Amino acid sequence: MRSLEDTIAALATPPGEGGICVVRVSGPEAASLGRAVLRDRGGEALQLEPWTVRWTRVWDPRRGGPLDEALSLWMPGPASYTREDVLEIQCHGGPAGPAVLDALLFSGARLAEPGEFTLRAYLRGRVDLLQAEAVLDVVRARTDAALKVHEELLGGALSRDVEQWQQALGHCLARLEAHLDFPEDDLGDLDQTHTAQALTPVVAAMEGKLSTYSWGRTLRDGYTVALVGAPNTGKSSLLNRLLEEDRAIVSPTPGTTRDTIEAWLNALGTPIRLVDTAGLRPARDPLEEEGVRRARAAAARADLVLLVCDGARDLRPEEIEEAERLQHQHQVRGVMNKADLGARPCAQLAAVLGEPPLVLSALTGEGIPALLQDLREAAGSGPRDGAGDAPLTRVRHRRAVEQALAALRRALLVLEGGGFPEVAASEMHEARRCLSELLGWGTPEDVLEDIFSEFCIGK
């Protein structure tokens, strides 16, 4: 990681055409850099006023001429995002933004690395690691529901839950270790059952939180649905109908789709990644063979396989065999397409999949609302069992809670069985350590680098 003593600068908005471009500067030399490149109407170095938007000309220190007209905002630390001195320059979009950034770099700033502004906010205690991760997830949210949840995480909703667990564990440990460390004091007999009873609600709360991971991960990463089936069953037509646009080429000629086509769908608030695939049949040439291979690979990666069949005809034996093969390896939902041509349920397919297939028409839209509801329910639409509105959204979250929970369960076994209280105390300390890493206290540097490397430069 680079030095916190450097003053960093970066574009905080995407490069390219736009109404404005925001250039962000943070660090101990932010004020002097502002005076070096910003001029007032009289051509003098701009006097920066805290929390005041000022009109300014951006000056080119190389050629000695103006680069652009802009607005500047000066935010002295620690009352800033990074808790350092921060300067933001709002200039025109297009080439002006990179030119302003280049002027700052020429004057002594260092180009920020991905996520370095948020990393500094984390290292200086402005946010914990859960909140820092939520910053990126807010930017990447694909639905209103995902944005709402990640805004709550950014506001500390999950952090407060973890801190409450830490506090409860601390109280239990304090009572337990007082008896262990000061046996000569008149503290009465150690009641291990009472300590176990105090731990039980914490264990229940953590178990409930673990149940939120499935829908929390879906909100963050999306739920992948692969459209799989024989050629000419209407997979591409169904993709277009779900997206309400002509995303895939549709043709009566079998084998039109040779590669996978991916697109995002907002299904009643749930972000779903749809993957259209080539028709599954014995390949007739190397190109089709590769398309079939990619179709099977997409099915293997998917959370759900949507097996699309032509419901206007009887299913062929090889299609039933394919359904059996998919059912053994994946979660599969059957779809009988072409209701407009008289599609009907298939008892043989229902027997293989364990539920009746959904009958619909990609052409007319019949049955599409029911399919969207099925997809939403399969993906998970919200918290369960009173687990609250602050879900676990990352593998890192789930693993930390699982490890802490496993340690607490071992501690309960010791306490309820009348075992050595020293062992229970050790397990409770391990649980607290796992929860501390969840918040970012004592998190290894390589983990931090992995997390912040996901960020864009300027955030």
Side-chain angles (χ1 to χ4, degrees):
M1 294 184 182
R2 300 291 187 93
S3 171
L4 290 178
E5 300 305 314
D6 293 344
T7 298
I8 57 176
L11 300 181
T13 49
E17 286 189 19
I20 64 171
C21 175
V22 177
V23 184
R24 178 177 290 166
V25 184
S26 180
E29 300 301 321
S32 62
L33 285 169
R35 288 189 291 269
V37 302
L38 302 181
R39 297 285 187 271
D40 61 20
R41 294 186 184 277
E44 302 296 326
L46 186 69
Q47 297 301 309
L48 301 175
E49 300 179 20
W51 305 103
T52 301
V53 176
R54 297 287 306 277
W55 177 93
T56 183
R57 278 196 177 90
V58 184
W59 203 253
D60 186 345
R62 281 196 179 95
R63 299 194 306 267
L67 283 173
D68 193 16
E69 291 185 358
L71 298 177
S72 67
L73 176 60
W74 169 241
M75 296 170 280
S80 69
Y81 179 64
T82 60
R83 287 193 168 171
E84 303 174 325
D85 289 346
V86 172
L87 173 67
E88 288 193 355
I89 302 172
Q90 300 177 17
C91 59
H92 290 93
V100 171
L101 175 61
D102 187 57
L104 290 164
L105 298 179
F106 179 81
S107 299
R110 171 172 63 79
L111 182 63
E113 295 184 350
E116 191 168 0
F117 291 95
T118 303
L119 174 62
R120 291 188 175 203
Y122 160 70
L123 293 175
R124 296 194 183 279
R126 170 70 171 75
V127 295
D128 61 37
L129 195 53
L130 290 173
Q131 292 173 296
E133 290 170 320
V135 170
L136 177 62
D137 295 335
V138 164
V139 174
R140 291 182 173 177
R142 294 183 178 273
T143 66
D144 291 342
L147 177 61
K148 181 178 182 295
V149 165
H150 291 128
E151 288 280 8
E152 291 171 352
L153 297 181
L154 178 57
L158 181 56
S159 304
R160 287 189 290 273
D161 289 339
V162 176
E163 288 166 357
Q164 288 175 1
W165 302 340
Q166 289 278 45
Q167 187 176 27
L169 289 177
H171 289 327
C172 292
L173 271 170
R175 289 195 299 269
L176 186 60
E177 293 186 331
H179 285 84
L180 295 175
D181 295 340
F182 306 102
E184 69 280 0
D185 292 351
D186 186 15
L187 300 176
D189 295 334
L190 175 61
D191 187 350
Q192 295 189 190
T193 302
H194 181 269
T195 304
Q197 291 173 343
L199 281 181
T200 300
V202 182
V203 170
M206 293 171 66
E207 289 173 339
K209 190 61 68 176
L210 273 178
S211 73
T212 68
Y213 173 70
S214 176
W215 71 274
R217 181 199 67 84
T218 296
L219 281 176
R220 178 179 179 267
D221 298 331
Y223 188 77
T224 302
V225 177
L227 279 61
V228 173
N232 267 23
T233 57
K235 298 183 297 298
S236 296
S237 296
L238 181 56
L239 176 78
N240 291 342
R241 168 62 65 173
L242 290 170
L243 297 176
E244 297 182 347
E245 64 173 281
D246 291 333
R247 180 68 175 80
I249 296 174
V250 176
S251 168
T253 304
T256 301
T257 302
R258 295 297 184 97
D259 201 352
T260 57
I261 300 174
E262 298 189 11
W264 283 94
L265 168 70
N266 181 353
L268 306 176
T270 301
I272 291 179
R273 179 192 286 112
L274 295 174
V275 185
D276 185 21
T277 64
L280 298 180
R281 68 177 181 183
R284 301 180 180 182
D285 56 63
L287 185 60
E288 187 173 14
E289 182 179 2
E290 176 61 18
V292 171
R293 186 195 70 77
R294 294 190 180 194
R296 297 194 185 282
R301 293 191 300 268
D303 297 300
L304 175 69
V305 172
L306 211 58
L307 180 59
V308 183
C309 304
D310 185 345
R313 61 168 174 77
D314 293 332
L315 297 192
R316 304 184 183 97
E318 59 267 25
E319 291 180 276
I320 298 298
E321 292 175 4
E322 186 65 46
E324 292 174 343
R325 183 162 43 248
L326 289 169
Q327 178 69 2
H328 288 147
Q329 301 173 354
H330 315 290
Q331 182 182 357
V332 182
R333 183 74 168 97
V335 169
M336 305 303 292
N337 189 24
K338 305 185 181 179
D340 53 295
L341 298 178
R344 58 196 182 278
C346 175
Q348 193 174 4
L349 183 62
V352 171
L353 301 182
E355 62 179 352
L358 186 66
V359 178
L360 55 78
S361 170
L363 180 64
T364 67
E366 178 185 344
I368 294 299
L371 175 59
L372 290 174
Q373 185 62 42
D374 278 4
L375 294 179
R376 183 172 185 262
E377 291 175 359
S381 57
R384 298 173 177 83
D385 301 326
D389 294 327
L392 307 179
T393 60
R394 294 172 177 250
V395 173
R396 186 184 77 86
H397 303 170
R398 187 196 67 195
R399 287 177 178 170
V401 175
E402 284 177 340
Q403 291 169 356
L405 187 56
L408 287 186
R409 286 170 175 161
R410 292 192 296 266
L412 279 177
L413 286 175
V414 173
L415 293 169
E416 293 171 345
F420 292 107
E422 295 89 343
V423 176
S426 175
E427 295 290 1
M428 291 162 68
H429 276 295
E430 172 63 13
R432 295 198 77 195
R433 184 195 66 77
C434 294
L435 295 177
S436 294
E437 282 199 7
L438 186 56
L439 292 170
W441 307 338
T443 303
E445 186 172 309
D446 59 336
V447 175
L448 295 180
E449 289 182 347
D450 285 343
I451 291 172
F452 286 100
S453 67
E454 296 183 49
F455 283 64
C456 59
I457 295 175
K459 192 57 183 171

